[in-house]
Amino acid sequence: MKIYFAGSVRGGREKRKEFEEIISKLKEFGKVLTEHISDPEIEKFEYHQTDREIYQQDINWLRNSDVMVAEVSILSIGVGYEIGYADAMNKKVICLYDLNSEKQLSAMIRGNDKIEILEYTDINEALKRLEKILKENKE
């Protein structure tokens, strides 16, 4: 399984540790095309690419993915764009949302019946639910 993971990069890095945990879980089910998202020094990756190159690379990864998983607790225009793009390609989209977040989840995400939303207060609880969904999806 090829998995596209999305999480805030330029919008804020407060959930980077959770990104690491999510990506680690996702790797049990296949190749995570975007595992660099959890890197504490991601800026080093970005400095070597133009915005256009990042866009083209990410769109290619999205097109080639089987499923998209996004951590959406931090508002991010980029993550929202990627979710919309994946949805338009009829990809399975799973969003993890921390109920302790100061921001409300976008109605465009919450209102889309095709997007599976895993609300959580404990990341381990969310990872168990994510694992169950991915096992079902793999079968």
Side-chain angles (χ1 to χ4, degrees):
M1 182 184 306
K2 290 186 231 166
I3 306 163
Y4 188 96
F5 174 74
S8 175
V9 174
R10 294 182 181 175
R13 303 290 288 155
E14 300 90 335
K15 291 285 187 184
R16 193 191 64 72
K17 286 289 186 196
E18 285 89 341
F19 294 177
E20 284 180 1
E21 294 178 57
I22 295 165
I23 289 168
S24 178
K25 177 57 69 179
L26 294 175
K27 288 167 96 175
E28 294 176 19
F29 293 90
K31 178 161 180 54
V32 180
L33 303 172
T34 54
E35 69 178 288
H36 64 282
I37 296 297
S38 68
D39 193 300
E41 298 182 13
I42 192 167
E43 292 80 16
K44 288 182 180 179
F45 294 104
E46 287 196 321
Y47 288 137
H48 297 323
Q49 293 180 296
T50 66
D51 288 348
R52 179 81 178 142
E53 290 168 334
I54 292 169
Y55 168 81
Q56 290 173 328
Q57 171 185 271
D58 287 0
I59 292 302
N60 283 334
W61 281 334
L62 260 174
R63 285 184 183 136
N64 290 310
S65 67
D66 299 304
V67 63
M68 177 191 196
V69 176
E71 209 301 331
V72 295
S73 303
I74 299 172
L75 299 179
S76 169
I77 292 170
V79 173
Y81 182 92
E82 292 166 327
I83 291 169
Y85 201 95
D87 181 49
M89 290 188 296
N90 293 312
K91 302 279 183 185
K92 177 155 187 71
V93 178
I94 304 164
C95 292
L96 288 87
Y97 174 71
D98 186 346
L99 290 170
N100 295 314
S101 174
E102 295 176 8
K103 304 291 183 183
Q104 284 189 356
L105 183 58
S106 167
M108 293 301 291
I109 303 299
R110 189 177 296 286
N112 186 333
D113 291 337
K114 294 189 297 182
I115 296 175
E116 189 148 3
I117 300 168
L118 301 181
E119 295 178 330
Y120 69 94
T121 55
D122 173 355
I123 189 64
N124 293 316
E125 156 204 334
L127 294 175
K128 286 177 190 170
R129 292 170 49 211
L130 178 61
E131 179 176 359
K132 183 178 179 198
I133 293 167
L134 292 173
K135 279 182 180 176
E136 291 170 359
N137 198 56
K138 202 170 188 178
E139 293 171 354

